[in-house]
Amino acid sequence: MTEDSAQVVRIERYLRGSGGGRLRRLTSAEVIRRWFKPGQDWGTPSAEVDLRVGGTVWVVMRAPDGAEVGARGEYTVIERPSRLAFTWTFDDDPSNQQMIELEFTEEDGATTVLFVNSNITNEERRGQQYSGWQACFDSFERALAI
């Protein structure tokens, strides 16, 4: 994983169970709409995934006030079941192409997910990314329990 930028969000999560289905759930448009919630009372009305290197991911999030925020990316690495990487750009800041990398490591019936979001343009956006991704991972853990 690359962490050359000073503007990086790094999150490590421990999830119960094996990681075999984690990548599939992280990349299923149907499941993304259930867990991609960057804050309380947010929704995800739209998600599209073309899971192949060079394929795209597109997500529209809806804030509690009804405002919509879109983000999209292109898959650059897909190594099942251990690694996933893609670019990430918000519709409101198309000049800031970020990078998202995830690594999954299984040990003793649990999966560690290491998430790195790099190339974030400024500290305010970095703070938003950190809190948003933490909330998404909280929702992801709940979605895994379903």
Side-chain angles (χ1 to χ4, degrees), residues 54-58 71-77 84-90 96-101 117-119 133:
T56 58
V57 57
W58 174 68
R72 63 191 75 238
E74 181 177 310
Y75 291 104
T76 59
V77 175
L84 180 69
F86 53 95
T87 62
W88 191 244
T89 307
F90 285 91
N96 178 215
Q97 185 175 44
Q98 300 172 28
M99 189 69 194
I100 294 181
E101 299 170 90
N117 182 176
S118 59
N119 200 34
W133 282 112

Side-chain angles (χ1 to χ4, degrees), residues 5 8 16 23 40 49 51 53 59 61 72 90 94-95 100:
S5 172
V8 173
R16 289 186 201 144
L23 184 59
Q40 189 173 3
V49 174
L51 187 59
V53 172
V59 178
M61 300 153 277
R72 63 191 75 238
F90 285 91
S95 66
I100 294 181

Side-chain angles (χ1 to χ4, degrees), residues 10-141:
R10 185 178 191 280
I11 298 170
E12 192 167 355
R13 286 288 180 111
Y14 302 94
L15 306 172
R16 289 186 201 144
S18 67
R22 307 264 190 254
L23 184 59
R24 181 179 47 78
R25 288 181 176 159
L26 273 170
T27 57
S28 159
E30 177 187 338
V31 180
I32 286 172
R33 286 189 294 272
R34 290 198 319 246
W35 69 261
F36 208 101
K37 300 173 188 318
Q40 189 173 3
D41 299 326
W42 280 66
T44 305
S46 300
E48 294 179 14
V49 174
D50 178 9
L51 187 59
R52 61 183 174 82
V53 172
T56 58
V57 57
W58 174 68
V59 178
V60 174
M61 300 153 277
R62 184 174 293 137
D65 67 2
E68 292 189 345
V69 178
R72 63 191 75 238
E74 181 177 310
Y75 291 104
T76 59
V77 175
I78 301 169
E79 295 174 5
R80 294 178 184 170
S82 61
R83 191 161 177 249
L84 180 69
F86 53 95
T87 62
W88 191 244
T89 307
F90 285 91
D91 293 346
D92 69 347
D93 190 10
S95 66
N96 178 215
Q97 185 175 44
Q98 300 172 28
M99 189 69 194
I100 294 181
E101 299 170 90
L102 295 108
E103 287 185 1
F104 302 84
T105 307
E106 288 188 49
E107 187 175 324
D108 298 327
T111 302
T112 300
V113 179
L114 175 59
F115 168 92
V116 177
N117 182 176
S118 59
N119 200 34
I120 303 168
T121 53
N122 61 60
E123 197 62 33
E124 179 182 5
R125 177 72 82 174
R126 182 192 177 284
Q128 293 167 345
Q129 293 291 100
Y130 182 79
S131 63
W133 282 112
Q134 286 283 20
C136 285
F137 275 109
D138 290 346
S139 293
F140 182 65
E141 287 183 72

